[in-house]
């Protein structure tokens, strides 16, 4: 599914109005009417009292349309305008007039509550139409007061287009933001509705068609995609009767150090579980005895470690010789930040012309050596969390999370690599800057080992002939989907990384059979 920035959506609206000839009032009517229709189907039985908060812009105009249809159906409506009626212009003023023509009353709120608290207390459903997707400055004054009272009401809140106060580009709350149970957005989902915390504030997200022609995507462009089952089925492979283990590739995993053999174990097993034909774990010789016991299906290759349990430069020739004919090299989980180990990582990246999946301490190895990553010299997928990316990007994790898409774009532009920036929600970029947002996953994944499983998934898919971007999309989506299935049946506290392996079969089957859960709903 295509996703847009607010700036791009404004261009779509302008194109529909100026080129296609759809009056702007028709777009507003389509938005408000269908919001009301869907809200009525899902939340109204006929006796509810509606409290609508309208701003002075077009988002407020949508709210007036909702209020008009509610009045026509006989609902009790209290409508607050956060401003003066004389300040409304264009389509918003038009729809305010239509609302008034049906006997609808408007309570102007300028610098005080004007009975907001009491009306909220008496109401059943609250409709937020204060700010739209173009908000770019912190919320203050009466708007902030209204938002805080809405959030403290305990009532069902429906957001028109986007929860007021959310940055439609980054998902950040701008001072204060409405927390909605359901958001009805128009034309396309916006990036800020999909990235957290914007996604949390939006609640359930439904995209309403407002009659913008689909060919506008080719004319005006897009900003990215939300990963969904339909996209994955477009490249998900079926195995043929004559396929064999050689068909699905051989993954070399370089991982592990004292106290972190679990990371090596999980990454290797995840690569095999998701379908790689063969997986060999390269492990410091001192740690090999325990890995021989822990791993049955995965092969191991002990390499010289001078008795330290860490990868050392003395093992480089043996490692290089082994990976030379392998299909994929996965390195990083549990490696440690020992100087010689980091040197091994960098040298392999410089000298081995192989597809790489690089995670954790494999990423940390390039801190202070990011010049080695520039120019796209290797086909590589990097899978950092914000802390790991911060060590290469010269930014703090907080700064990265302020605008995850922009931070990811900078890294990809500088390196030419593929990037999986983990977090809520995971952002994926290809070397050409193609953006994908993964809607799956939840806080159950906030536990040691989860990232190792993802790295193994991606490496195992890459070995089977999936492209780098396909491996990133499919591996990330399935990883989060399994966690979502777990929390639907258990809790968000008790998932272990190993449980992700157990849930993989069901997740793949759901996607193949078109039975996966819907994360972003489309409605006419």
């Amino acid at each position: 599914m295509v996703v847009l920035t607010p700036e791009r959506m404004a261009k779509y609206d302008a194109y529909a109005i100026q080129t296609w000839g759809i009056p702007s009032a028709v777009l507003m009517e389509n938005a408000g009417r269908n919001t009301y229709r869907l809200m009525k189907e899902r939340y109204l039985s006929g006796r509810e009292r509606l409290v609508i908060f309208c701003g002075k812009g077009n988002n407020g105009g949508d709210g007036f349309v909702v209020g008009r249809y509610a009045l026509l159906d006989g609902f009790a409506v209290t409508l607050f305008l956060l401003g003066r009626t004389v300040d409304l212009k264009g389509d918003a003023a038009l729809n305010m007039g239509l609302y008034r023509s049906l006997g609808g009353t408007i309570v102007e709120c300028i610098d005080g509550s004007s009975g907001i608290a009491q009306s909220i207390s008496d109401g059943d459903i609250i409709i937020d139409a204060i700010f739209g997707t173009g908000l770019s400055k912190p919320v203050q004054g009466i708007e902030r007061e209204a938002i805080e009272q809405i959030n403290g009401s305990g009532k069902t809140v429906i957001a028109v287009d986007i929860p007021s106060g959310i940055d439609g580009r980054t998902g950040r709350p701008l001072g204060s933001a409405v927390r909605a149970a359901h958001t009805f957005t128009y034309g396309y989902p916006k990036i800020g509705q999909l990235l957290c915390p914007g996604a949390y504030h939006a609640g359930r997200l439904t995209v309403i068609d407002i009659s913008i022609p689909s060919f506008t995507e080719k004319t005006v462009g897009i900003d990215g995609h939300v990963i969904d089952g339909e996209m994955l089925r477009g490249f998900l492979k079926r195995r043929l009767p004559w396929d064999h283990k050689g068909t699905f590739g051989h993954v070399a995993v370089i991982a592990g150090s004292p106290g972190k053999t679990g990371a090596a174990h999980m990454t290797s097993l995840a690569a095999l579980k998701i379908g790689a034909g063969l997986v060999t774990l390269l492990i410091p010789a001192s740690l090999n005895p325990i890995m021989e016991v822990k791993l049955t299906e995965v092969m191991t290759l002990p390499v010289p470690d001078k008795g330290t349990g860490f990868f050392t430069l003395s093992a480089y020739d043996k490692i290089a010789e082994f990976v030379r004919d392998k299909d994929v090299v996965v390195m990083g989980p549990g490696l440690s930040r020992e100087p010689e180990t980091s040197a091994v990582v960098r040298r392999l990246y410089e000298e081995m012309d192989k597809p790489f999946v690089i995670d954790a301490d494999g990423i940390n190895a390039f801190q202070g050596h990011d010049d080695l990553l520039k120019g796209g010299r290797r086909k590589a997928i990097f899978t950092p969390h914000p802390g790991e990316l911060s060590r290469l990007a010269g930014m703090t994790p907080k700064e990265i999370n302020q605008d995850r898409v922009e931070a990811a774009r900078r890294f990809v532009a500088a390196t030419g690599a593929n990037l999986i920036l983990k977090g809520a929600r995971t952002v994926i970029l290809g070397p050409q800057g193609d953006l994908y947002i993964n809607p799956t996953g939840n806080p159950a994944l906030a536990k040691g080992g989860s990232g190792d499983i993802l790295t193994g998934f991606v490496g195992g898919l890459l070995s089977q002939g999936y492209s780098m971007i396909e491996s990133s999309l499919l591996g990330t989506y399935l990883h989060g989907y399994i966690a979502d299935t777990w929390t639907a049946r258990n809790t968000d506290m008790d998932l272990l990384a190993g449980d992700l392996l157990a849930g993989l079969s069901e997740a793949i089957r759901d996607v193949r059979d078109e039975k996966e859960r819907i994360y972003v709903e489309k409605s006419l």
Side-chain angles (χ1 to χ4, degrees), residues 440-459:
T440 68
N442 62 72
L445 292 169
K447 194 168 293 183
S450 295
D452 303 318
I453 298 293
L454 174 60
T455 301
F457 281 175
V458 174

Side-chain angles (χ1 to χ4, degrees), residues 186-323:
Y186 307 130
Y188 293 85
K190 318 307 182 295
I191 290 176
Q193 298 164 335
L194 297 164
L195 299 177
C196 285
Y200 167 75
H201 282 259
R204 185 176 179 181
L205 182 62
T206 298
V207 182
I208 292 175
D209 180 8
I210 56 172
S211 303
I212 294 178
S214 60
F215 58 74
T216 308
E217 295 175 13
K218 293 183 178 180
T219 305
V220 183
I222 67 172
D223 292 297
H225 294 86
V226 186
I227 308 171
D228 56 23
E230 181 180 2
M231 176 188 296
L232 301 179
R233 284 186 290 276
F235 60 79
L236 188 58
K237 301 176 187 291
R238 290 282 183 176
R239 297 195 166 199
L240 300 173
W242 52 86
D243 286 335
H244 53 85
K245 62 187 177 184
T247 306
F248 305 116
H250 193 158
V251 180
V253 177
I254 301 171
S257 63
K260 297 181 180 178
T261 56
H265 170 262
M266 288 183 286
T267 302
S268 303
L269 205 55
L272 197 63
K273 180 72 172 179
I274 206 164
L278 294 167
V279 177
T280 298
L281 170 64
L282 286 74
I283 190 77
S286 299
L287 304 178
N288 189 60
I290 186 62
M291 301 314 297
E292 292 274 19
V293 174
K294 289 174 70 71
L295 294 169
T296 301
E297 296 91 346
V298 173
M299 298 175 286
T300 67
L301 178 70
V303 300
D305 65 351
K306 300 179 182 178
T308 65
F310 298 98
F311 285 91
T312 64
L313 286 169
S314 63
Y316 180 80
D317 289 342
K318 185 172 183 177
I319 295 170
E321 181 60 31
F322 181 80
V323 304

Side-chain angles (χ1 to χ4, degrees), residues 23 82 138 204 264 287 322 347 369 410 448 494:
L82 304 186
R204 185 176 179 181
L287 304 178
F322 181 80
R347 187 174 172 188
H369 302 271
R410 290 181 185 177
D494 58 336

Side-chain angles (χ1 to χ4, degrees), residues 480-494:
Y481 188 94
I482 299 165
D484 292 340
T485 300
W486 177 274
T487 55
R489 297 170 181 170
N490 302 284
T491 78
D492 59 1
M493 297 172 64
D494 58 336

Side-chain angles (χ1 to χ4, degrees), residues 260 310 335-342 361 364-365 367 391:
K260 297 181 180 178
F310 298 98
L335 273 184
S336 84
R337 301 184 69 178
E338 285 289 308
E340 280 201 52
T341 302
S342 297
D361 288 325
N364 293 331
Q367 184 176 3
R391 297 176 192 123

